Amino acid sequence: MRTTVSDDGIETVLPSPPGELVQLLDPEGNRVSDPLYDPYVADVTGDQLASLYEDLVIVRRLDVEATALQRQGQLGLWPPLLGQEAAQVGSARTLRPDDFVFSSYRENAVAYCRGVRLPDIVKVWRGTAQSGWDPHTVNMATPAIVIGAQTLHAVGYAVGCLRDGVDSATITYFGDGATTQGDVNEALVFAASFHAPVVFFCQNNQWAISEPVGLQAQRPIAERAPGFGIPSIRVDGNDVLAVIAATRRALERAHGGEGPTFIEAVTYRMGPHTTSDDPTRYVDPLQREEWAAKDPIGRVEAHLRERGVLTEALAASIADRANEVAAEFRAGCVALENPAPLSVFDNVYAEPHAPLARQRSQQAAYLRSIGEVAE
Amino acid sequence: MRTTVSDDGIETVLPSPPGELVQLLDPEGNRVSDPLYDPYVADVTGDQLASLYEDLVIVRRLDVEATALQRQGQLGLWPPLLGQEAAQVGSARTLRPDDFVFSSYRENAVAYCRGVRLPDIVKVWRGTAQSGWDPHTVNMATPAIVIGAQTLHAVGYAVGCLRDGVDSATITYFGDGATTQGDVNEALVFAASFHAPVVFFCQNNQWAISEPVGLQAQRPIAERAPGFGIPSIRVDGNDVLAVIAATRRALERAHGGEGPTFIEAVTYRMGPHTTSDDPTRYVDPLQREEWAAKDPIGRVEAHLRERGVLTEALAASIADRANEVAAEFRAGCVALENPAPLSVFDNVYAEPHAPLARQRSQQAAYLRSIGEVAE
Amino acid sequence: MTELTLAKAITSGLRRALADDDRVVLLGEDIGTLGGVFRVTDGLQREFGADRVMDMPLAESGIIGMAVGLAYRGFRPVVEIQFDGFIYPAFDQIVAQVAKMHYRTGGAVRMPITIRVPFGGGIGAVEHHSESPEAYFAHTAGLRVVTCSTPQDAHTMIRQAIACDDPVLFFEPKRRYWTKGEVDEDATYPFDRARVVLEGTDVTIVAYGPLVATAIDAAIAAGDDGVSVEVVDLRSLSPLDLDTVEASVSKTGRLVITHEAQQFGGLGAELAASITDRCFLHLEAAPARVTGFDTPYPSARAEEHFLPDLDRILDAVDRVLGRANALTGWSDS
Amino acid sequence: MTELTLAKAITSGLRRALADDDRVVLLGEDIGTLGGVFRVTDGLQREFGADRVMDMPLAESGIIGMAVGLAYRGFRPVVEIQFDGFIYPAFDQIVAQVAKMHYRTGGAVRMPITIRVPFGGGIGAVEHHSESPEAYFAHTAGLRVVTCSTPQDAHTMIRQAIACDDPVLFFEPKRRYWTKGEVDEDATYPFDRARVVLEGTDVTIVAYGPLVATAIDAAIAAGDDGVSVEVVDLRSLSPLDLDTVEASVSKTGRLVITHEAQQFGGLGAELAASITDRCFLHLEAAPARVTGFDTPYPSARAEEHFLPDLDRILDAVDRVLGRANALTGWSDS
Ligand SMILES: Cc1ncc(C[n+]2csc(CCOP(=O)(O)OP(=O)(O)O)c2C)c(N)n1
Ligand SMILES: Cc1ncc(C[n+]2csc(CCOP(=O)(O)OP(=O)(O)O)c2C)c(N)n1
Ligand SMILES: [Mg+2]
Ligand SMILES: [Mg+2]
């Protein structure tokens, strides 16, 4: 690990050689020391790690439940996060309540950590609404489906924080595939130009649907940001501790007025792209197996058992808790009601719009004419 | 100057420290030696340099003439290239005839070097056509006005050359401001992914209309490309010899199947953005003066005089020649005829289009009805 | 003749185009190994190689921009946009470059680019996956816009689009991908003409893409009710074959237009305006439009309340016939 | 009351908006030190600081995307797009994000973003500097689209646009920037209503933005010829104030619509279709459209052959009146 300070005094955090990852827990659960990042997790107690472990278990359990709900027709679609639990939980748990999140569609564990109500997470996937929650209640925006669009929103929000004189940070999540989109690159330029307190959190899960990351990037993704004037960190995305350390470092910069930071969390999408996808068409099972050995939950479990924090009893209670949350999730999901016919006209505009009101009224007349209840 | 070979064997050409420029002729006209780039110009004779000098003088003379033509109402608009002669002539003169150019609007010296007929260069600026020439006759595309769009076209063309099994290179010109556009960054990704034989030639003239380059880029622009997997060169854009060396190196890579290269030619826009612009509103005269001292023509002149190649007689004959070309240019320009009324309907489609033919025929009837000749 | 789904009819059309002309190249996200998210390009990369069927990095502007360069070089690129709602990042390249290059260059550079876009709703999808953006492109001079409603047209028209020297937006009615029908690969007929799919005398219903089947159902239902409906499948949205619609409306005197896209400024407006201009003296009633509402496309479980359906079309048929309908007695205030 | 050019009336409107509400921020290319290429923001950065009037890096998608984030944070961003033809790189952010955010979030997040776009031709410019892209945005649910034709409206409407909690595309008729007129900064009137600028009884001409002045000239010329023309300035293009146009056409029975944008799928189509629907029994002739042709915008020295002008409008007036006109005896075949 090397820290370089460039000629204009901007600290650029570049792993050296470029392939090197920040890792604090190896796949076997051993604590690896890293002089630069150790201090960022020095205060994390065994109990706190156990609580993170619980989060990891729960979000995986929820993910499995959601896939089951989709199979049973309760959801239209679901994008599993299997394999990416540590990247999401580690980063999201590091945020302050007043920090703001702009995510993509797969960050359901981030939503969970932000305190989004369970059924609200799946409204979109069940198809009862275009988004699940009021962003201002949890400081997390409605996920963006158009790849990369949200990264610019994050920069705008972060600049708004600067203008408002608050030290809140903004974090934006996106995938490896997203790094190709013009919007994401423009976001890097704008963030650098305005010294925006924003964290670019790229989950490099090796795939954009069927396309391997090698089609999108010829160099490790973390190497892209420094050329824009943004320091970057390449972190083992399956290592919750390392993700916390990297995110803390980036947030420290953001909260401290030092501008944007780019994090590449190297992970793997263990499931299909979505429940509609058939990864057997393109995923090499051997590659998947290699990554299975780097499971983000297994290593925390091993580590905690080794430290004696995770007892059988605690493990069982966490498993129970996960099942409980999943049951609650399922119940909340199936209880979500279908939208009323005329609701399609709601919230198009914030201010009165006569022609649309007229169209709505005509449709109400039509619904009455065919004997349907309109509202 | 340092050449580094990265772990995967891709050669990355990075000046070190980042600010360093490739320079072979200093502002006073002294030949500066550079072990890496000297070999690329070892074969350039005094006469050849004199011929480049003639080019520089002519394109500047044409540029001045064009500005005059605009002031006299013969052109609607003109984007002067004053100060950027060496960047354009040096790179364009290095191209093979079968190499293909995708440029922006300011590369009028490039068009001149490609052999575009003088009046064809100004059709667009006079407003008699949307473009001046048939791209296939000179292997140079119609300039793009939408910032950055052409860089993607270049990548597509270059990939087409690969597919066709020809070793032609493609070069694309764009400005410092353009580097912010999503399209340009996507072009870098696509070029790297497809190993496209393309040269990205960025003329960093320090300004995007009134915006200084510092608003668009926090790091030297040349530093951006390596993060995309594209080696880059930062060259003194006011040094025609260095520009030739850098372009040769990049073309050597392209012709040799080694993929894309990025060149940042550091130069200065000595004139207004266009004849409609008023740079006194934003340009610091001191900064402009500093750059005036680095004039691209003066240094070649000094160098050639010092070497005894440029005699008074030769200088006078070149000046005469420039005046001749300018006169020819003016004559060609004012002779350009206005488009016929119905020509607006031509070439919208390549194949028959009944409704448009009908619209045209109705307009012809209208023109007849008001006593105008339609065709 | 073979029986094919509409999706597979496009596949076979692409296969023929690739086989017939080695300047044809396919570009898109996930079109190679995966065969596209709808499997329309399934097997084509294996058959023609990764140089002809190219997986593209994830950027629509990049893909279209690259297609422009390939066209410059004499290729005939066929681009797949994964879903309708993801075409917008490429909007500039499409309307400012692809559409205008031939005009800009005075005819020197052709843009025989086909842009395939699975479009429309009815598949219970999340946001951005059910849009009908055809009017944006139809309003753009220099582009051609077509769609298909049958496997036969799907096959023939994709080949015609690729063979056309102009850029063509080829909208594929994704909810009809699984519709089956006979396909004659050797069939030839004009690219830009509408087709009367059902003859009738009282009312003309004009539809395209996914709603042609709905229009036919409506016509049959109306027939049971003693109303003779003529159904026209536009096929080409730009140019519009106004001659065919004019001939029909001159006969029936009544026009109902249906599309999924939002009504305001949609193709129905152009059709209503043009036909009113051409058939003013024949029209017995103002043309009626049955369309998506002027709202964003709603969530999956609300889409049935947004999309035109048989009953809404029949109500409009009643309206143009001056019969009792939903708006009888309805008032604005 | 002060006499101002249309451009300066916008400047003064922006100044008032900046002074009245500190959540208003201006974003755009070259709007700071330079004051914008048309000098509409001249002096504002000096007056309100670089935090309120921000020069933006050169990327339209980036600018609009950033405005979305600022709106999320409670700001009211006012974006300048330098020229009409440069709005397309931002198309995705506008139609898929700005337009839909309020709907998507069930009303939780408002997008009070104003996007200022100098538009239209007639200034002898190079390509991409004379476009009329309003129909794209008018067809997009969730957006409002307005334009102005007088300094008074320029001033009042830009303030209304900024005050509006919905996103507004504010199209500025750039060739009328130097038109002078009296401006009352305290004037108040509705934002989304059309205005009858000349009363008449025989024909209604509907225009907006740059062509309102041309329509008025045509009305005066027609008046000299004994034809009484009513001129309606739409002002709001989405929503359209159909009530006002309906009232006029119910009286005159004849409608001529003019805009610079291409005809096919333009706003004239929507207006013709809607008014035909509402006024079917009052119409004496089919609505006539006098518009730019269905070609890309031509080169500067050809634009006079593309743009609607007084004579072409008068010819359409003759046409709807059934008088001899250019198309008398013209035939298609
Ligand atoms: C602009 C756009 N183009 C295409 C798509 C379709 N699409 C959805 S997800 C996806 C792959 C994204 O890959 P990545 O950014 O790596 O995120 P991941 O799915 O791996 O989390 C694609 C192509 C989209 N949503 N938006
Ligand atoms: C997409 C787009 N946005 C805005 C403009 C208006 N514009 C024309 S030139 C220019 C500045 C370009 O700066 P740079 O890329 O540095 O090139 P230079 O003019 O310095 O050669 C701008 C903003 C444009 N042509 N295209
Ligand atoms: Mg991914
Ligand atoms: Mg520049």
Side-chain angles (χ1 to χ4, degrees), chain B residues 33 52 64 101 104 106 109 112 163 190 202 220 233 288 298 318 329:
Chain B
S33 101
L52 286 164
V64 169
V101 178
S104 182
R106 203 183 297 284
Y112 171 79
R163 296 281 175 274
F190 280 65
C202 177
I233 307 169
R288 192 178 173 284
I318 286 175
F329 180 46

Side-chain angles (χ1 to χ4, degrees), chain A residues 6-8 10 17-19 179-183 185-186 189-190 192-194 214-220 223-224 226-229, chain B residues 6-8 10 17-19 179-183 185-186 189-190 192-194 214-220 223-224 226-229:
Chain A
S6 71
D7 46 354
D8 53 6
I10 294 181
T179 61
T180 295
Q181 284 287 1
D183 273 8
N185 293 281
E186 293 183 7
V189 174
F190 280 65
S193 289
F194 296 114
L215 183 63
Q216 321 282 347
Q218 302 312 300
R219 305 290 312 151
E223 283 185 31
R224 176 113 39 113
F228 289 84
Chain B
S6 71
D7 47 353
D8 53 5
I10 295 181
T179 60
T180 296
Q181 284 286 2
D183 273 8
N185 293 280
E186 293 183 7
V189 174
F190 280 65
S193 288
F194 296 115
L215 185 62
Q216 320 281 347
Q218 302 313 301
R219 305 290 312 149
E223 283 185 32
R224 175 113 41 114
F228 289 84

Side-chain angles (χ1 to χ4, degrees), chain D residues 175-234:
Chain D
R175 64 160 141 151
R176 307 293 183 199
Y177 269 150
W178 301 275
T179 300
K180 285 193 174 169
E182 293 293 321
V183 174
D184 172 2
E185 296 210 356
D186 300 323
T188 55
Y189 45 82
F191 183 43
D192 57 4
R193 301 304 301 263
R195 181 185 295 129
V196 176
V197 289
L198 265 187
E199 296 205 6
T201 52
D202 300 337
V203 176
T204 302
I205 303 182
V206 173
Y208 56 88
L211 291 183
V212 172
T214 315
I216 292 171
D217 289 347
I220 292 167
D224 293 345
D225 204 20
V227 178
S228 166
V229 171
E230 180 143 312
V231 176
V232 177
D233 177 359
L234 286 177

Side-chain angles (χ1 to χ4, degrees), chain D residues 41-225:
Chain D
T41 56
D42 196 21
L44 298 178
Q45 189 180 67
R46 214 175 316 117
E47 199 170 333
F48 296 95
D51 274 6
R52 305 280 310 279
V53 181
M54 299 170 69
D55 268 335
M56 286 282 124
L58 207 176
E60 287 73 12
S61 188
I63 298 171
I64 300 289
M66 203 172 129
V68 170
L70 283 162
Y72 239 102
R73 177 85 206 160
F75 287 87
R76 304 185 87 84
V78 183
V79 174
E80 173 174 309
I81 296 290
Q82 199 159 76
F83 281 91
D84 35 59
F86 306 138
I87 197 168
Y88 306 128
F91 202 73
D92 179 64
Q93 285 287 347
I94 297 174
V95 307
Q97 304 301 329
V98 174
K100 293 179 173 171
M101 199 63 82
H102 189 257
Y103 195 70
R104 179 179 303 150
T105 60
V109 179
R110 299 192 165 185
M111 288 284 127
I113 298 174
T114 301
I115 304 177
R116 296 180 39 236
V117 190
F119 86 123
I123 62 160
V126 294
E127 207 186 349
H128 310 291
H129 292 71
S130 305
E131 312 243 313
S132 297
E134 62 274 15
Y136 296 134
F137 302 101
H139 182 51
T140 306
L143 300 177
R144 293 175 187 266
V145 183
V146 304
T147 183
C148 55
S149 70
T150 64
Q152 179 67 59
D153 271 356
H155 177 90
T156 305
M157 291 177 76
I158 189 65
R159 288 170 59 192
Q160 290 172 326
I162 296 169
C164 180
D165 271 344
D166 293 315
V168 179
L169 273 286
F170 187 83
F171 283 99
E172 304 176 359
K174 68 170 91 83
R175 64 160 141 151
R176 307 293 183 199
Y177 269 150
W178 301 275
T179 300
K180 285 193 174 169
E182 293 293 321
V183 174
D184 172 2
E185 296 210 356
D186 300 323
T188 55
Y189 45 82
F191 183 43
D192 57 4
R193 301 304 301 263
R195 181 185 295 129
V196 176
V197 289
L198 265 187
E199 296 205 6
T201 52
D202 300 337
V203 176
T204 302
I205 303 182
V206 173
Y208 56 88
L211 291 183
V212 172
T214 315
I216 292 171
D217 289 347
I220 292 167
D224 293 345
D225 204 20

Side-chain angles (χ1 to χ4, degrees), chain B residues 203-272:
Chain B
Q203 287 177 79
N204 174 1
N205 66 4
Q206 314 299 323
W207 294 102
I209 308 186
S210 73
E211 300 186 340
V213 62
L215 185 62
Q216 320 281 347
Q218 302 313 301
R219 305 290 312 149
I221 289 171
E223 283 185 32
R224 175 113 41 114
F228 289 84
I230 301 178
S232 71
I233 307 169
R234 191 152 193 260
V235 65
D236 181 344
N238 285 8
D239 172 353
V240 74
L241 213 54
V243 170
I244 289 175
T247 312
R248 283 191 176 174
R249 180 136 201 242
L251 286 173
E252 182 180 83
R253 285 174 42 83
H255 294 144
E258 291 170 70
T261 310
F262 189 103
I263 296 173
E264 177 194 3
V266 181
T267 177
Y268 198 83
R269 197 195 75 207
M270 296 298 292

Side-chain angles (χ1 to χ4, degrees), chain A:
Chain A
M1 195 58 42
R2 185 185 59 177
T3 306
T4 61
V5 177
S6 71
D7 46 354
D8 53 6
I10 294 181
E11 186 195 29
T12 54
V13 188
L14 276 174
S16 162
E20 199 183 302
L21 287 180
V22 180
Q23 192 183 69
L24 300 178
L25 273 185
D26 74 13
E28 285 70 44
N30 303 309
R31 183 69 172 74
V32 188
S33 98
D34 181 307
L36 184 56
Y37 288 96
D38 282 345
Y40 286 94
V41 291
D43 63 336
V44 177
T45 63
D47 284 353
Q48 284 171 340
L49 202 52
S51 154
L52 286 163
Y53 171 74
E54 178 174 317
D55 281 339
L56 295 173
V57 170
I58 288 176
V59 299
R60 178 170 295 180
R61 182 67 188 82
L62 287 173
D63 197 69
V64 169
E65 192 66 27
T67 295
L69 284 162
Q70 193 281 333
R71 294 289 176 240
Q72 292 153 13
Q74 295 292 341
L75 298 181
L77 189 78
W78 179 253
L81 56 77
L82 202 72
Q84 302 177 221
E85 295 86 353
Q88 296 192 18
V89 167
S91 55
R93 281 294 182 220
T94 306
L95 299 171
R96 292 196 322 218
D98 64 310
D99 293 336
F100 206 96
V101 178
F102 286 89
S103 82
S104 183
Y105 45 84
R106 203 183 297 285
E107 284 72 63
N108 293 300
V110 175
Y112 171 80
C113 292
R114 292 307 276 174
V116 176
R117 289 179 47 243
L118 293 175
D120 289 350
I121 292 180
V122 285
K123 275 184 186 162
V124 164
W125 309 109
R126 186 169 168 88
T128 59
Q130 293 292 40
S131 74
W133 61 87
D134 175 346
H136 298 300
T137 59
V138 289
N139 281 348
M140 174 165 175
T142 289
I145 289 176
V146 176
I147 299 294
Q150 76 281 6
T151 58
L152 284 165
H153 307 168
V155 175
Y157 192 93
V159 170
C161 291
L162 277 185
R163 295 282 174 273
D164 282 340
V166 300
D167 74 345
S168 312
T170 306
I171 187 168
T172 178
Y173 291 87
F174 52 99
D176 47 300
T179 61
T180 295
Q181 284 287 1
D183 273 8
V184 175
N185 293 281
E186 293 183 7
L188 296 177
V189 174
F190 280 65
S193 289
F194 296 114
H195 215 61
V198 64
V199 179
F200 291 96
F201 196 96
C202 176
Q203 286 176 81
N204 174 1
N205 65 4
Q206 314 298 323
W207 294 102
I209 308 186
S210 73
E211 300 186 340
V213 62
L215 183 63
Q216 321 282 347
Q218 302 312 300
R219 305 290 312 151
I221 289 171
E223 283 185 31
R224 176 113 39 113
F228 289 84
I230 299 178
S232 70
I233 307 170
R234 192 153 192 260
V235 66
D236 181 344
N238 285 8
D239 172 354
V240 73
L241 212 54
V243 170
I244 288 174
T247 311
R248 282 190 175 174
R249 181 137 200 240
L251 285 173
E252 181 180 84
R253 286 176 40 84
H255 294 144
E258 292 169 69
T261 309
F262 188 103
I263 296 174
E264 177 194 11
V266 181
T267 178
Y268 197 82
R269 196 195 75 208
M270 296 299 291
H273 170 67
T274 66
T275 46
S276 294
D277 183 33
D278 175 9
T280 64
R281 285 184 163 245
Y282 57 84
V283 168
D284 174 1
L286 286 179
Q287 188 195 43
R288 192 178 174 285
E289 247 173 66
E290 270 172 40
W291 278 92
K294 305 183 199 165
D295 184 56
I297 302 190
R299 69 177 77 182
V300 184
E301 185 171 328
H303 178 78
L304 288 172
R305 283 196 194 275
E306 172 73 26
R307 282 173 67 176
V309 178
L310 190 67
T311 58
E312 283 309 318
L314 181 56
S317 98
I318 287 175
D320 286 350
R321 173 88 192 106
N323 286 329
E324 257 171 58
V325 176
E328 195 192 319
F329 181 46
R330 164 174 293 268
C333 170
V334 301
L336 287 172
E337 276 176 28
N338 287 347
L342 289 180
S343 71
V344 299
F345 293 98
D346 296 343
N347 297 311
V348 182
Y349 296 94
E351 304 210 0
H353 191 287
L356 193 63
R358 186 176 199 257
Q359 208 172 63
R360 183 183 192 282
S361 152
Q362 292 186 342
Q363 179 64 2
Y366 166 76
L367 290 171
R368 278 193 303 274
S369 81
I370 60 166
E372 281 197 18
V373 184
E375 316 280 328

